Amino acid sequence: MGRAAAAGRGAGGARRWLPWLGLCFWAAGAAAARGTDNGEVLPDSIPSAPGTLPHFIEEPDDAYIIKSNPIALRCKARPAMQIFFKCNGEWVHQNEHVSEESLDESSGLKVREVFINVSRQQVEDFHGPEDYWCQCVAWSHLGTSKSRKASVRIAYLRKNFEQDPQGREVPIEGMIVLHCRPPEGVPAAEVEWLKNEEPIDSEQDEHIDTRADHNLIIRQARLSDSGNYTCMAANIVAKRRSLSATVVVYVNGGWSSWTEWSACNVPCGRGWQKRSRTCTNPAPLNGGAFCEGMSVQKITCTALCPVDGSWEVWSEWSVCSPECEHLRIRECTAPAPRNGGKFCEGLSQESENCTDGLCILDKKPLHEIKPQSIENASDIALYSGLGAAVVAVAVLVIGITLYRRSQSDYGVDVIDSSALTGGFQTFNFKTVRQGNSLLLNPSMQPDLTVSRTYSGPICLQDPLDKELMTESSLFNPLSDIKVKVQSSFMVSLGVSERAEYHGKNHSGTFPHGNNRSFTTVHPRSKTPYIQNLSSLPTRTELRTTGVFGHLGGRLVMPNTGVSLLIPHGAIPEENSWEIYMSINQGEPSLQSDGSEVLLSPEVTCGPPDMIVTTPFALTIPHCADVSSEHWNIHLKKRTQQGNWEEVMSVEDESTSCYCLLDPFACHVLLDSFGTYALTGEPITDCAVKQLKVAVFGCMSCNSLDYNLRVYCVDNTPWAFQEVVSDERHQGGQLLEEPKLLHFKGNTFSLQISVLDIPPFLWRIKPFTACQEVPFSRVWCSNRQPLHCAFSLERYTPTTTQLSCKICIRQLKGHEQILQVQTSILEEFVLFCYTK
């Protein structure tokens, strides 16, 4: 400024000040111009060339004020005598400028640079139709130049997104569009997408596009695209994160090809064939729908029965030959063997002498060459006599045996194997003789001349408590009678004087082996010599034991429906065994394959090395709605290697065991101990599992909440007792009598909802009053108890009564309603007391 004034005085000019600008103008500018016109040269201190206006080397840029920090605006021009800022049409005071002056070495022109600071307060105090702006004005000898307008704005970024991305469930190869509208901000926020907290680079993945208005677009969804997606917005002020959106790419199940038709299940006559397919093409993933339709198809088939051959009648004797013999023949054509039938037994031709010994052989009479034949005839007579003697002795032994049996203590003999296969045959029972110690009431005098006829399967009755072995109506009581059954197994089931155990554990240590003889005693009165198995099951199980001898007995596991009947005589007279029975309470070891489901608990009885002389009866409960048209039910046994093998199909007859299936349990006659279970394979959509549904309730001492837990378990006593035990530990109360639900194998899911909640007294969270359970989760519910929880809240503590309905229904299936009516006050006091 001083140098400019000195230059002005050197030129002889005068200056004048504009106080509101704080700068001086050269009053002698016109004279300088005239001196130039007269050919005078400008002094060295003012090297500006005639006619040159200021040129801006650097103009002020748009700027943003972050928080309370001021920003600096600057500009640079040449040639320039002075530069001042003008903001919003008004000059900025000279004191607010910071000026620097230099000389451009290449052109020799004067360069001037000016800075000013703009504060947040200045911008906030400005109220105009446009943003706060500033502009540079530069002076030279010839005139002025103006820079561009630079706007100054306060930077910010709001917290909340205008639109958060929403979760999606899409099928594989479907399109995914996630919308994101970032928060309002200055400058505008830039958007970046994160997947599982990792940045997404759309340039490296051609399936993903993030350029369309901040949205994320996946054109063809892949399984790897499942995850949590987050929209990230950022500018110079801050960064903001949206709510995470969960994307699930699911795969609907698809059927594989049908297998070949199996062979006909019967060797002869009318049977059935089946073929199967699996839901593995592809298998459902991430909640995808299970395949619709049945996995097994059955058709009827007819197998040609083998026909054994039979001989035709003998032909006429042929003409006598020179050898003094004639022949006759027969053919195996009445009928001929067909379809693998047996060929006729015996010779197809025979010959004999045709001259009664008068034929001459080798020129000798026949009676002269017969000594050898005479000897042969005498041998035949000897052997015939010995054979007749053996037969006579055998007949005598059999007669004596039958007589001794008729004099035994058994009052009835049943010789019919159908009694053990579940058939309903008519048996004739003779009245027990007077004085029989096996009678429940020896004082009764039976009529020895009257016989009784009993139609039905064998009754296995306990004389001590007059209770049936099972709940089945097929096992009707048959008092004071011992039943003896002879079939492919010789089963002798005694009724009286038998030991019975109801879940009592036998204490003591029992030695192995049996090296000495002893007299069998009743296990309730004396301690017998026991043969026991050293290795017992180690898995989590419910277990009971009992000691049995020659008289047999019955072992019952209370509240489970499982029992074991050892018949009279199954254990040798001088032996006693500790027999145990257990139920697997852990994860089932029988893994279902295909559409096969577990219908019963896994029951173990042992010791496995024990040998019985007659089969024993094992009762296992099941949850199937028995129908041969809809179910194919199998009995399976676990091998020593831990695998499961099929023992028999309930529909088919087996030579190794007999099975009687009633609506709630299966009664099996077995000849070996081990681990057994029932499995079922649905044949049609109408196959039904029986489920027991129940509702329990409990509340917290320090809360207004009341919890309802709805269970759906297999309709077996053991499964429900497990639920009751768990609820007892949680303080739950049974609110309604359990009911039976018929769940069909039609692949439709189960819905559980809470209805008729009293308004203004109770409330439930929105969208939680109804829960849906997938079909596969219910169909295989024996893996673990299925339950749904609902949380209700009282408006005030004065509400002491709760009444509502629980609806359990299968889509396109059966429905049950549980009516809840309970006093919260009573349960509250009981709950707090137990705590």
Side-chain angles (χ1 to χ4, degrees):
M1 189 74 174
R3 288 193 298 269
R9 287 193 299 269
R15 63 174 183 175
R16 55 191 180 90
W17 293 88
L18 298 176
W20 58 280
L21 286 174
L23 61 89
C24 63
F25 290 90
W26 299 101
R34 288 193 300 272
T36 303
D37 293 340
N38 295 331
E40 299 179 1
V41 180
L42 293 174
D44 293 339
S45 59
I46 307 177
S48 300
T52 301
L53 291 174
H55 171 69
F56 284 96
I57 301 173
E58 182 178 352
E59 297 184 84
D61 294 324
D62 294 338
Y64 297 94
I65 296 178
I66 302 174
K67 297 183 180 178
S68 298
N69 300 321
I71 55 97
L73 298 178
R74 68 178 181 176
C75 61
K76 184 187 295 185
R78 69 180 178 190
M81 299 172 58
Q82 290 293 342
I83 300 176
F84 283 91
F85 272 93
K86 193 177 187 179
C87 294
N88 301 320
E90 296 182 358
W91 294 103
V92 179
H93 196 274
Q94 178 184 2
N95 296 337
E96 298 179 10
H97 291 72
V98 178
S99 177
E100 295 181 0
E101 184 177 306
S102 62
L103 189 65
D104 189 354
E105 296 179 358
S106 62
S107 62
L109 298 177
K110 183 183 296 184
V111 178
R112 183 174 293 275
E113 185 176 5
V114 176
F115 302 85
I116 66 169
N117 288 330
V118 180
S119 66
R120 182 185 183 99
Q121 188 66 39
Q122 289 176 284
V123 178
E124 290 180 346
D125 291 344
F126 173 71
H127 301 285
E130 54 186 353
D131 292 333
Y132 190 97
W133 60 270
C134 291
Q135 184 181 40
C136 283
V137 181
W139 280 266
S140 70
H141 289 89
L142 193 60
T144 62
S145 295
K146 296 180 180 180
S147 69
R148 65 179 293 274
K149 290 182 178 181
S151 63
V152 180
R153 304 175 67 185
I154 298 175
Y156 67 93
L157 184 63
R158 300 195 183 280
K159 292 184 179 181
N160 297 327
F161 278 71
E162 295 184 5
Q163 182 178 4
D164 287 297
Q166 302 295 321
R168 295 284 187 274
E169 291 186 1
V170 296
I172 193 168
E173 297 185 355
M175 177 177 284
I176 303 174
V177 179
L178 298 180
H179 298 280
C180 176
R181 293 177 60 188
E184 179 185 353
V186 174
E190 296 182 357
V191 171
E192 180 185 21
W193 284 91
L194 304 178
K195 176 188 175 185
N196 298 330
E197 302 303 325
E198 295 293 332
I200 297 175
D201 189 354
S202 59
E203 295 181 358
Q204 295 182 358
D205 193 340
E206 60 182 6
H207 291 275
I208 299 178
D209 184 6
T210 58
R211 298 169 297 178
D213 196 19
H214 308 310
N215 297 328
L216 175 68
I217 300 176
I218 302 178
R219 297 180 181 88
Q220 287 186 329
R222 301 156 295 186
L223 287 176
S224 59
D225 291 326
S226 297
N228 296 321
Y229 289 81
T230 307
C231 182
M232 179 76 74
N235 64 3
I236 60 176
V237 179
K239 289 184 178 181
R240 302 285 187 250
R241 290 170 57 96
S242 70
L243 298 176
S244 294
T246 301
V247 173
V248 177
V249 180
Y250 62 85
V251 179
N252 291 325
W255 289 114
S256 65
S257 301
W258 288 102
T259 61
E260 298 295 331
W261 288 103
S262 66
C264 201
N265 70 319
V266 294
C268 171
R270 186 178 179 84
W272 50 264
Q273 294 174 281
K274 69 176 181 178
R275 64 176 184 175
S276 61
R277 57 180 179 175
T278 58
C279 188
T280 56
N281 187 32
L285 290 176
N286 297 337
F290 196 80
C291 304
E292 295 184 0
M294 294 306 299
S295 61
V296 178
Q297 284 185 346
K298 285 192 176 183
I299 58 174
T300 58
C301 59
T302 302
L304 298 176
C305 297
V307 177
D308 295 336
S310 181
W311 292 112
E312 289 278 3
V313 296
W314 288 101
S315 65
E316 296 293 333
W317 288 102
S318 65
V319 178
C320 196
S321 67
E323 289 78 16
C324 305
E325 291 183 342
H326 58 177
L327 303 174
R328 65 176 182 177
I329 61 173
R330 58 180 178 176
E331 294 182 351
C332 187
T333 57
R338 298 194 306 271
N339 305 326
K342 295 180 181 179
F343 196 80
C344 303
E345 296 181 356
L347 300 175
S348 61
Q349 68 177 16
E350 65 179 5
S351 62
E352 66 178 17
N353 189 278
C354 56
T355 62
D356 295 331
L358 300 180
C359 180
I360 297 177
L361 185 62
D362 293 333
K363 298 181 180 181
K364 292 182 180 181
L366 190 61
H367 63 273
E368 295 180 3
I369 55 173
K370 65 178 181 179
Q372 182 177 0
S373 61
I374 294 174
E375 292 178 1
N376 293 337
S378 62
D379 291 341
I380 292 174
L382 176 62
Y383 293 144
S384 300
L386 290 176
V390 170
V391 171
V393 172
V395 171
L396 180 61
V397 170
I398 293 174
I400 294 174
T401 301
L402 294 178
Y403 176 76
R404 293 184 64 181
R405 287 187 178 180
S406 64
Q407 300 300 320
S408 66
D409 290 337
Y410 295 107
V412 60
D413 287 343
V414 179
I415 306 176
D416 193 343
S417 63
S418 64
L420 302 179
T421 62
F424 292 82
Q425 304 293 336
T426 300
F427 308 112
N428 292 326
F429 294 88
K430 297 178 181 178
T431 307
V432 181
R433 291 185 299 275
Q434 184 176 2
N436 190 344
S437 61
L438 302 178
L439 286 174
L440 295 180
N441 188 359
S443 62
M444 296 176 61
Q445 301 297 325
D447 185 358
L448 300 180
T449 63
V450 179
S451 65
R452 295 182 293 178
T453 300
Y454 169 68
S455 295
I458 298 176
C459 165
L460 307 176
Q461 184 188 7
D462 184 4
L464 299 178
D465 55 7
K466 307 294 190 299
E467 292 181 355
L468 296 181
M469 174 182 172
T470 69
E471 298 176 358
S472 171
S473 61
L474 300 177
F475 279 66
N476 296 323
L478 191 62
S479 60
D480 54 44
I481 290 180
K482 277 199 170 184
V483 181
K484 182 178 180 183
V485 179
Q486 297 178 357
S487 63
S488 57
F489 297 118
M490 182 63 70
V491 184
S492 178
L493 306 180
V495 179
S496 61
E497 300 291 338
R498 290 186 292 114
E500 175 162 354
Y501 295 88
H502 291 265
K504 298 178 181 178
N505 294 327
H506 193 86
S507 61
T509 303
F510 306 102
H512 296 272
N514 186 12
N515 300 323
R516 57 196 178 98
S517 60
F518 56 93
T519 303
T520 303
V521 295
H522 197 285
R524 290 179 178 171
S525 59
K526 295 183 180 180
T527 303
Y529 187 76
I530 302 296
Q531 291 178 340
N532 196 5
L533 183 66
S534 60
S535 61
L536 295 177
T538 59
R539 299 178 72 249
T540 304
E541 56 188 17
L542 182 65
R543 188 172 180 274
T544 185
T545 60
V547 180
F548 295 87
H550 179 68
L551 296 177
R554 180 179 170 211
L555 185 62
V556 179
M557 193 171 294
N559 301 323
T560 63
V562 178
S563 63
L564 180 68
L565 182 67
I566 304 298
H568 176 84
I571 301 175
E573 289 191 9
E574 297 184 352
N575 289 340
S576 290
W577 285 84
E578 181 186 29
I579 297 177
Y580 66 84
M581 186 167 56
S582 64
I583 294 179
N584 178 18
Q585 290 181 290
E587 184 71 15
S589 61
L590 198 160
Q591 300 297 327
S592 302
D593 52 345
S595 60
E596 191 176 47
V597 294
L598 188 63
L599 298 177
S600 74
E602 296 176 5
V603 179
T604 301
C605 55
D609 61 348
M610 175 181 173
I611 300 176
V612 293
T613 58
T614 55
F616 59 91
L618 178 64
T619 298
I620 306 176
H622 66 81
C623 62
D625 190 357
V626 180
S627 174
S628 59
E629 299 178 358
H630 308 309
W631 281 104
N632 190 7
I633 299 178
H634 306 275
L635 177 68
K636 290 194 173 183
K637 180 180 180 181
R638 188 171 63 191
T639 62
Q640 294 181 351
Q641 293 76 20
N643 301 322
W644 288 83
E645 62 181 12
E646 181 176 333
V647 178
M648 67 171 296
S649 176
V650 174
E651 298 179 2
D652 303 331
E653 293 185 358
S654 173
T655 59
S656 61
C657 61
Y658 290 97
C659 177
L660 173 62
L661 189 68
D662 69 17
F664 299 102
C666 180
H667 315 283
V668 192
L669 285 180
L670 303 167
D671 59 352
S672 63
F673 291 92
T675 301
Y676 295 90
L678 288 176
T679 64
E681 186 178 10
I683 301 175
T684 67
D685 286 348
C686 297
V688 171
K689 275 185 64 176
Q690 295 181 349
L691 302 179
K692 184 170 289 185
V693 295
V695 56
F696 290 81
C698 70
M699 66 181 302
S700 173
C701 287
N702 301 319
S703 175
L704 296 177
D705 293 343
Y706 190 80
N707 299 320
L708 295 176
R709 289 187 290 272
V710 182
Y711 289 86
C712 298
V713 297
D714 292 349
N715 185 33
T716 58
W718 168 77
F720 187 67
Q721 287 302 319
E722 189 176 21
V723 171
V724 172
S725 177
D726 292 342
E727 281 294 327
R728 185 179 295 113
H729 287 87
Q730 300 180 37
Q733 299 290 326
L734 184 63
L735 303 181
E736 170 69 345
E737 189 72 21
K739 294 186 178 180
L740 203 61
L741 180 72
H742 298 282
F743 190 80
K744 291 185 178 180
N746 54 11
T747 71
F748 287 100
S749 58
L750 185 72
Q751 284 186 348
I752 303 176
S753 54
V754 182
L755 307 176
D756 298 344
I757 300 175
F760 308 112
L761 296 177
W762 293 87
R763 61 186 171 194
I764 190 171
K765 292 182 180 179
F767 309 110
T768 62
C770 180
Q771 300 185 29
E772 186 166 341
V773 184
F775 168 81
S776 58
R777 177 74 177 85
V778 183
W779 195 245
C780 301
S781 60
N782 47 37
R783 298 296 172 191
Q784 59 183 9
L786 170 66
H787 84 279
C788 293
F790 300 90
S791 180
L792 281 69
E793 183 181 2
R794 293 181 289 175
Y795 280 93
T796 62
T798 58
T799 302
T800 60
Q801 297 291 328
L802 171 63
S803 63
C804 63
K805 294 180 180 179
I806 306 294
C807 177
I808 303 103
R809 61 182 293 265
Q810 183 186 18
L811 299 179
K812 299 186 179 179
H814 191 212
E815 174 182 322
Q816 281 289 8
I817 300 292
L818 298 177
Q819 181 69 48
V820 175
Q821 184 74 37
T822 183
S823 174
I824 305 301
L825 183 60
E826 295 177 2
E827 293 191 16
F828 178 79
V829 173
L830 179 61
F831 180 79
C832 294
Y833 176 76
T834 57
K835 289 293 181 180

